[in-house]
């Protein structure tokens, strides 16, 4: 593989990727607020109105998620454009960290990894804007950038333990977003200590600085919980509600293993694996640390058990970094080392590397851009119809008198857009209406029952969404209500079905019944 061919490929790929990124940003600038982002916004909205998380608001998300969401909303506003900008900011920060990580290797490796990561996120669609796993991934990449910078000191220079402290701080922030990466920082610090020891450099100060830095965000979160007087509520959520939540809609481990690498990334990974295996004697401590990031990203994907695309973000980011570094390293080395020449053809590894770049740029970059631009907004039909129905039934007078029975995909975003406070702090119906038995379901039913009998909502909005794994059930069924006979009887006795809606697009297109959602509205019988 000639240097000229590689230079031409690199130039064309860079121009193509930059064009894809620019088109993606311009065409998705006005993506609306939906999904989990709207749910988190609504939690902050309720907190601003005096409701405390974990005590009044039933939600398993970690405090750092709520604090970051609240900071963005309070500083810049809670509209959809602000969150779109925050999402792009996370991608930009991740890209900057990748460029720092790839500095000794190749700027093109960083562009390759950062661009494809951003476009894969875009492919996942507007429902994943500003996801918690994206924020966690950005924090981990920043942490790695600090650590690598601190330990890249020349033999004549002093190492910088304070830089390692920032590694610990950002890893701590990531762990307080998703505890599944809690042990990543100690593992990487052990690798760095071994490396420093082999270089006859002091390592104890680095270890201590990194671990203390990691404890800082954890300490601050505990202090905030104590200030809010919700420590015990949070611990109860962590020990009881969260484990139950992980059981709801959980995928089997065979399913998770099959989907741990997306079909979009699979061709690049398959082209990278032979290179990684054949050049294993080239592995440096930095590549080992990046591999730890991949493994902990996969562990996070498995521990969350849902198999959602955004749960792959940490493993995808670190995999793309490793692939980008190895592809460019192979193509920059001429000739191929003699040991490798004895084991494989002199053209095999450069050929795989070039194919990996071309396939990654064309298949992931081009395909993901097209998919992101093709995204439809059919769920906005849900919001438009529901908002019209709620306005017809009283609009703002429904504050504290309307209750969603949903998985936060449709009804909660509408309540946030209308700035309506719910009758209870239950944002998910899955705790009460799941087919998964357990004491936490019984506890949730009892608490919800007490809430609605003490303050009966005037309106129930029941979405067609179901928290259990998708099956071949017919379109727009509401069988989840029958799983709790006591509530179902109460609903039928005291409320009447006002309207049932199915988005017009679904009626006209005959598309899959799972998305977008339909809904029913039940109105209290004595409502005037």
């Amino acid at each position: 593989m000639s240097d000229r061919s590689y230079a031409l490929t690199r130039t064309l790929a860079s121009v193509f990727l930059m064009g894809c990124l620019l088109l993606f940003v311009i065409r998705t600038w006005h993506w609306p607020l939906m999904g989990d982002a709207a749910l988190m916004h609504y939690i902050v909205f309720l907190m601003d109105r005096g409701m405390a998380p974990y005590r009044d608001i039933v939600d398993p998300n970690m405090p750092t998620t709520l604090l970051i969401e609240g900071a963005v909303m309070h500083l810049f506003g809670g509209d959809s454009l602000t969150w779109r900008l925050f999402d792009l900011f996370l991608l930009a920060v991740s890209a900057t960290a990748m460029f720092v990580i790839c500095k000794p290797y190749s700027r093109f490796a960083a562009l390759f990894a950062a661009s494809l990561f951003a476009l894969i996120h875009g492919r996942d669609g507007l429902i994943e804007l500003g996801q918690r796993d994206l924020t966690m991934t950005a924090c981990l990449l920043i942490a790695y950038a600090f650590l690598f910078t601190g330990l890249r000191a020349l033999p004549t220079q002093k190492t910088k333990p304070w830089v390692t402290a920032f590694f610990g701080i950002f890893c701590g922030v990531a762990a307080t977003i998703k505890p599944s990466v809690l042990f990543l920082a100690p593992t990487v610090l052990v690798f760095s200590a071994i490396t420093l020891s082999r270089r006859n450099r002091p390592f104890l100060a680095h270890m201590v600085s990194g671990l203390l830095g990691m404890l800082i965000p954890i300490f601050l979160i505990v202090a905030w919980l104590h200030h809010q007087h919700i420590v015990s509520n949070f611990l109860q959520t962590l020990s009881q509600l969260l484990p139950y939540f992980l059981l709801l809609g959980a995928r089997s481990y065979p399913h998770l293993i099959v989907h741990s690498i997306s079909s979009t990334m699979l061709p690049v990974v398959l082209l990278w694996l032979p290179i990684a295996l054949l050049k294993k004697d080239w592995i440096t401590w930095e590549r080992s640390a990046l591999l730890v990031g991949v493994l902990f990203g996969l562990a996070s994907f498995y521990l969350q058990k849902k198999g959602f695309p955004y749960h792959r973000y940490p493993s995808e980011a670190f995999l793309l970094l490793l692939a980008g570094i190895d592809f460019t390293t192979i193509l920059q080395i001429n000739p191929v080392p003699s040991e490798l020449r004895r084991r494989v053809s002199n053209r095999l590894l450069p050929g795989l590397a070039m194919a990996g770049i071309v396939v990654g740029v064309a298949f992931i970059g081009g395909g993901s851009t097209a998919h992101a631009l093709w995204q439809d907004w059919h769920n906005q039909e849900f919001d438009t119809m529901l908002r019209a129905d709620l306005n017809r039934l009283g609009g703002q007078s429904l504050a504290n008198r309307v209750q969603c029975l949903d998985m936060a995909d449709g009804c909660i975003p509408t309540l946030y857009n209308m700035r309506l406070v719910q009758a209870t702090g239950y944002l998910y119906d899955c705790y009460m209406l799941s087919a998964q038995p357990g004491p936490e379901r019984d506890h949730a039913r009892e608490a919800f029952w007490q809430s609605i009998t003490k303050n009966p909502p005037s309106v129930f909005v029941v979405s067609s969404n179901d928290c259990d794994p998708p099956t071949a059930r017919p379109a727009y069924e509401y069988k989840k209500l029958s799983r709790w006979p006591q509530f179902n009887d109460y609903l039928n006795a005291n409320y009447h079905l006002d309207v049932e809606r199915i988005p017009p697009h679904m009626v006209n297109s005959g598309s899959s019944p799972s998305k977008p959602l339909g809904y029913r509205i039940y109105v209290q019988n004595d409502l005037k």
Side-chain angles (χ1 to χ4, degrees):
M1 186 68 63
S2 67
D3 291 341
R4 180 175 296 180
S5 298
Y6 171 52
L8 179 61
T9 302
R10 184 180 57 198
T11 300
L12 292 176
S14 299
V15 172
F16 182 78
L17 288 174
M18 293 302 294
C20 287
L21 287 172
L22 183 62
L23 183 62
F24 166 62
V25 171
I26 292 174
R27 290 293 302 276
T28 65
W29 186 257
H30 297 294
W31 267 359
L33 192 67
M34 297 176 65
D36 286 349
L39 171 70
M40 297 297 109
H41 275 53
Y42 191 63
I43 292 174
V44 175
F45 167 74
L46 296 180
M47 289 168 60
D48 290 342
R49 279 145 187 83
M51 297 178 69
Y54 315 117
R55 185 182 65 224
D56 306 317
I57 305 170
V58 183
D59 181 74
N61 287 288
M62 295 297 102
T64 302
T65 300
L66 306 181
L67 292 175
I68 292 174
E69 197 100 9
V72 173
M73 292 174 63
H74 293 147
L75 289 174
F76 305 107
D79 60 2
S80 58
L81 179 58
T82 295
W83 200 246
R84 183 75 186 100
L85 291 172
F86 177 68
D87 182 78
L88 294 174
F89 169 76
L90 291 176
L91 295 175
V93 167
S94 299
T96 302
M98 287 180 171
F99 271 88
V100 174
I101 291 169
C102 293
K103 185 177 181 181
Y105 308 102
S106 165
R107 284 180 295 181
F108 176 72
L111 177 64
F112 177 85
S115 300
L116 296 187
F117 179 64
L119 293 172
I120 287 172
H121 172 59
R123 181 189 183 91
D124 292 339
L126 65 168
I127 200 74
E128 310 298 6
L129 290 188
Q131 274 290 1
R132 295 144 291 177
D133 293 71
L134 179 61
T135 307
M136 177 179 72
T137 302
C139 290
L140 291 177
L141 291 170
I142 295 169
Y144 270 69
F146 271 111
L147 183 65
F148 286 6
T149 299
L151 268 64
R152 283 170 179 166
L154 297 174
T156 57
Q157 295 177 324
K158 292 183 178 180
T159 55
K160 304 170 182 178
W162 65 268
V163 179
T164 311
F166 279 98
F167 165 78
I169 289 172
F170 280 98
C171 282
V173 173
T176 55
I177 295 173
K178 290 289 179 75
S180 51
V181 295
L182 180 63
F183 297 105
L184 182 147
T187 304
V188 174
L189 286 172
V190 169
F191 275 81
S192 66
I194 294 172
T195 301
L196 289 172
S197 177
R198 289 176 176 174
R199 296 177 184 174
N200 295 318
R201 308 299 296 274
F203 62 86
L204 185 60
H206 282 276
M207 290 285 291
V208 173
S209 297
L211 292 174
L212 288 178
M214 183 180 175
L215 291 175
I216 290 174
I218 298 175
F219 172 79
L220 292 176
I221 288 301
V222 172
W224 180 78
L225 292 170
H226 177 74
H227 177 73
Q228 299 293 322
H229 307 290
I230 53 175
V231 173
S232 61
N233 303 103
F234 172 72
L235 293 177
Q236 185 178 16
T237 297
L238 200 62
S239 61
Q240 298 179 24
L241 183 64
L242 183 58
Y244 180 70
F245 177 73
L246 293 177
L247 296 176
L248 304 179
R251 300 289 189 171
S252 66
Y253 279 107
H255 175 93
L256 294 174
I257 292 171
V258 169
H259 292 85
S260 56
I261 297 176
S262 69
S263 58
T264 305
M265 275 200 51
L266 187 59
V268 171
V269 173
L270 292 177
L271 289 168
W272 166 73
L273 277 176
I275 296 175
L277 293 174
L278 289 172
K279 59 189 282 294
K280 60 184 177 182
D281 50 335
W282 295 2
I283 291 180
T284 64
W285 94 266
E286 289 190 357
R287 282 188 174 92
S288 300
L290 291 174
L291 183 58
V292 170
V294 173
L295 295 176
F296 270 92
L298 290 173
S300 178
F301 178 77
Y302 297 138
L303 288 171
Q304 295 184 75
K305 298 183 180 180
K306 300 294 191 291
F308 295 146
Y310 68 91
H311 289 169
R312 292 191 292 249
Y313 286 166
S315 60
E316 287 177 337
F318 286 107
L319 261 176
L320 286 170
L321 275 173
L322 278 171
I325 289 171
D326 285 345
F327 289 158
T328 54
T329 300
I330 285 290
L331 293 172
Q332 288 172 345
I333 293 178
N334 190 21
V336 176
S338 58
E339 182 179 347
L340 288 176
R341 189 185 298 115
R342 288 194 299 268
R343 295 159 61 183
V344 296
S345 165
N346 195 30
R347 297 181 178 180
L348 177 58
L349 293 186
L352 288 172
M354 184 64 77
I357 291 174
V358 173
V359 169
V361 170
F363 186 70
I364 300 180
S368 295
T369 303
H371 194 278
L373 302 185
W374 179 79
Q375 290 282 328
D376 57 49
W377 296 2
H378 299 327
N379 262 22
Q380 283 201 294
E381 294 181 339
F382 184 107
D383 178 79
T384 301
M385 291 189 302
L386 180 56
R387 193 184 302 202
D389 281 327
L390 292 179
N391 281 326
R392 173 177 58 82
L393 293 171
Q396 293 303 310
S397 66
L398 293 177
N400 298 296
R401 298 170 54 216
V402 59
Q403 177 63 43
C404 292
L405 291 175
D406 194 6
M407 268 293 289
D409 287 45
C411 181
I412 292 295
T414 300
L415 292 192
Y416 175 72
N417 290 332
M418 296 181 68
R419 302 303 191 266
L420 282 176
V421 177
Q422 261 201 151
T424 79
Y426 278 86
L427 309 181
Y428 309 89
D429 63 9
C430 58
Y431 307 127
M432 300 87 69
L433 302 180
S434 171
Q436 179 70 41
E440 190 57 35
R441 187 182 71 173
D442 297 336
H443 171 75
R445 287 181 175 182
E446 179 61 27
F448 184 74
W449 181 260
Q450 291 181 5
S451 296
I452 62 172
T453 52
K454 182 179 179 180
N455 177 34
S458 300
V459 172
F460 277 101
V461 180
V462 184
S463 80
S464 62
N465 203 353
D466 198 323
C467 59
D468 290 322
T471 63
R473 61 181 182 270
Y476 300 106
E477 283 196 344
Y478 296 84
K479 287 185 177 179
K480 60 182 179 180
L481 295 173
S482 64
R483 296 181 191 142
W484 187 9
Q486 180 187 23
F487 174 76
N488 195 29
D489 292 342
Y490 168 82
L491 189 66
N492 291 327
N494 296 279
Y495 296 79
H496 62 272
L497 179 62
D498 177 75
V499 70
E500 180 174 348
R501 304 284 192 194
I502 300 175
H505 173 83
M506 301 305 295
V507 176
N508 297 329
S509 69
S511 302
S512 166
S514 60
K515 284 188 178 180
L517 304 173
Y519 65 87
R520 290 176 176 176
I521 293 182
Y522 292 86
V523 177
Q524 199 170 26
N525 288 335
D526 58 355
L527 183 65
K528 302 299 183 181

